[in-house]
C-alpha cells in the first residue's frame, strides 16, 4: 500500500520534499497523522500534493477527514481554480459522516464562486443552517467576480435586512460590484455605509472607494478618500495615480 503511495507522490516529493520519502509510512500511519499531513501540505501551498494525499486516504484507508482538513482541501481547490477537484472534495464531504461547521460551510460557496460556478455556490449558501458575515461576503464576492453585479447588490441588501453587518471584505466586494454597474448614486450610498461602519477606516474599504471613484471619473471624490487615509499602501497610491492618468 505504501509502495503505491510512493509511486504516486514520487515526483512531487522529489521536487518539493515536504517529507522524507522513506518516512512516508509515518505520515499515513494513523488518522490524525494523515489529516495533519494533508493540512501541512495545504499550509505550504502544495495544493496538488495535498489532493494526491487526499486521494490516497480516500482510496486506501478508512480514515475520516476532519472538518478543518476538508476546509484546507476546499481552499486548495479555490487556489487552483479547479471546479472539478472542488466538486470531488465537496461530494466526499456530503457522502461522509462529517458534520460541517460554519467555517467549512463558508469555504464551499467561496470555492465555487472563485471557480466560476455561482449556481453551485448559491445552492450551498441557500442550504446553510446558519450564516455569518463571511458567508454573505463569499456569495457577494462570487457574484462580483463573475460579472453578476446586480445579484451582488441584492445579496448585500438581503444581508443588511437579516441583521448581519458588513465588514471591510464585504465593502471591498460590494464596492467593486458597484464599480461594474457604473452607478454613481449607489456608490455614494455605499460610501455612506462605509463611513458609518466600524470597519470603514480599513484600507480594503478605502482603496475600493478610491478605485470606484476613479472609474467613475470622480477624481475629487477619490482624492478626498485618498487624503483621509493615514497610512496609504501601494494600492492606494496606484489607484490614485491611475485616476490622475485618465485626466490626460
Amino acid at each position: 500500500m505504501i509502495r503505491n503511495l510512493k509511486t504516486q507522490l514520487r515526483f512531487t516529493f522529489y521536487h518539493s520534499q515536504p517529507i522524507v520519502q522513506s518516512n512516508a509510512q509515518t505520515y499515513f500511519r494513523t488518522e490524525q497523522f494523515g489529516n495533519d499531513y494533508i493540512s501541512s501540505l495545504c499550509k505550504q501551498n502544495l495544493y496538488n500534493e495535498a489532493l494526491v494525499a487526499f486521494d490516497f486516504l480516500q482510496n486506501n484507508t478508512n480514515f475520516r477527514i476532519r472538518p478543518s482538513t476538508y476546509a484546507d482541501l476546499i481552499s486548495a481547490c479555490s487556489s487552483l481554480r479547479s471546479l472539478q477537484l472542488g466538486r470531488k472534495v465537496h461530494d466526499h464531504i456530503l457522502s461522509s459522516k462529517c458534520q460541517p461547521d460554519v467555517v467549512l460551510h463558508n469555504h464551499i460557496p467561496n470555492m465555487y464562486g472563485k471557480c466560476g460556478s455561482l449556481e453551485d455556490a448559491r445552492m450551498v449558501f441557500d442550504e446553510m443552517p446558519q450564516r455569518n458575515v463571511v458567508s454573505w461576503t463569499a456569495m457577494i464576492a462570487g457574484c462580483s467576480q463573475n460579472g453578476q453585479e446586480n445579484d451582488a447588490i441584492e445579496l448585500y441588501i438581503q444581508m443588511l435586512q437579516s441583521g448581519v453587518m458588513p465588514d471591510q471584505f464585504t465593502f471591498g466586494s460590494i464596492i467593486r460590484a458597484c464599480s461594474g454597474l457604473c452607478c454613481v448614486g449607489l456608490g455614494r450610498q455605499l460610501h455612506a455605509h462605509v463611513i458609518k461602519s466600524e470597519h470603514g477606516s480599513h484600507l480594503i474599504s478605502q482603496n475600493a472607494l478610491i478605485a470606484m471613484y476613479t472609474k467613475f471619473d470622480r477624481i475629487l471624490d477619490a482624492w478626498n478618500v485618498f487624503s483621509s487615509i493615514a497610512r496609504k499602501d501601494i494600492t492606494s497610491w496606484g489607484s490614485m495615480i491611475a485616476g490622475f492618468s485618465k485626466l490626460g
Side-chain angles (χ1 to χ4, degrees):
M1 181 174 72
I2 297 302
R3 188 181 296 112
N4 182 39
L5 172 65
K6 288 181 180 179
T7 300
Q8 294 180 61
L9 299 184
R10 187 181 305 279
F11 178 82
T12 52
F13 281 171
Y14 177 77
H15 287 276
S16 61
Q17 295 184 333
I19 64 170
V20 179
Q21 277 184 289
S22 60
N23 291 334
Q25 186 171 1
T26 302
Y27 288 85
F28 297 93
R29 185 177 59 195
T30 68
E31 183 172 291
Q32 180 177 342
F33 282 6
N35 276 270
D36 289 346
Y37 177 59
I38 292 173
S39 292
S40 175
L41 290 173
C42 291
K43 288 176 173 60
Q44 296 176 71
N45 300 330
L46 299 171
Y47 305 126
N48 286 307
E49 292 87 338
L51 289 159
V52 170
F54 167 68
D55 270 342
F56 174 77
L57 291 188
Q58 180 182 358
N59 296 325
N60 298 281
T61 76
N62 293 319
F63 295 165
R64 291 179 298 177
I65 306 295
R66 296 187 304 238
S68 60
T69 307
Y70 276 129
D72 289 333
L73 287 165
I74 290 291
S75 291
C77 296
S78 297
S79 298
L80 293 171
R81 298 298 191 270
S82 175
L83 180 59
Q84 180 182 4
L85 292 174
R87 281 178 172 159
K88 181 178 180 180
V89 176
H90 186 199
D91 287 344
H92 195 270
I93 294 171
L94 294 175
S95 63
S96 72
K97 295 181 180 180
C98 173
Q99 297 296 322
D101 54 19
V102 68
V103 174
L104 176 53
H105 269 304
N106 286 340
H107 275 75
I108 298 171
N110 181 62
M111 178 272 294
Y112 279 129
K114 287 183 176 179
C115 293
S117 182
L118 288 179
E119 183 178 352
D120 286 316
R122 189 59 193 252
M123 186 179 302
V124 174
F125 178 80
D126 287 343
E127 293 177 353
M128 289 178 66
Q130 57 177 325
R131 301 172 188 144
N132 57 19
V133 65
V134 179
S135 320
W136 286 97
T137 301
M139 277 306 307
I140 291 168
C143 290
S144 179
Q145 292 161 4
N146 289 280
Q148 302 298 317
E149 290 87 359
N150 284 315
D151 289 341
I153 300 298
E154 289 181 12
L155 281 163
Y156 178 72
I157 294 170
Q158 291 171 16
M159 182 190 75
L160 296 178
Q161 291 173 341
S162 73
V164 176
M165 300 308 295
D167 63 10
Q168 66 271 24
F169 300 106
T170 318
F171 284 131
S173 294
I174 196 61
I175 291 169
R176 279 192 291 273
C178 180
S179 299
L181 292 173
C182 295
C183 180
V184 178
L186 179 59
R188 293 195 185 282
Q189 289 184 49
L190 291 173
H191 190 176
H193 289 191
V194 170
I195 292 172
K196 295 176 182 178
S197 169
E198 62 180 292
H199 303 285
S201 61
H202 197 284
L203 265 177
I204 292 177
S205 307
Q206 297 296 312
N207 287 341
L209 286 169
I210 295 171
M212 177 190 73
Y213 280 129
T214 56
K215 185 171 182 178
F216 293 164
D217 294 326
R218 302 280 177 162
I219 198 68
L220 181 58
D221 289 316
W223 176 255
N224 288 336
V225 176
F226 178 81
S227 300
S228 71
I229 300 175
R231 293 189 176 183
K232 304 168 181 65
D233 65 3
I234 190 170
T235 303
S236 317
W237 287 99
S239 296
M240 203 66 242
I241 292 169
F244 280 121
S245 298
K246 290 175 65 178
L247 297 179

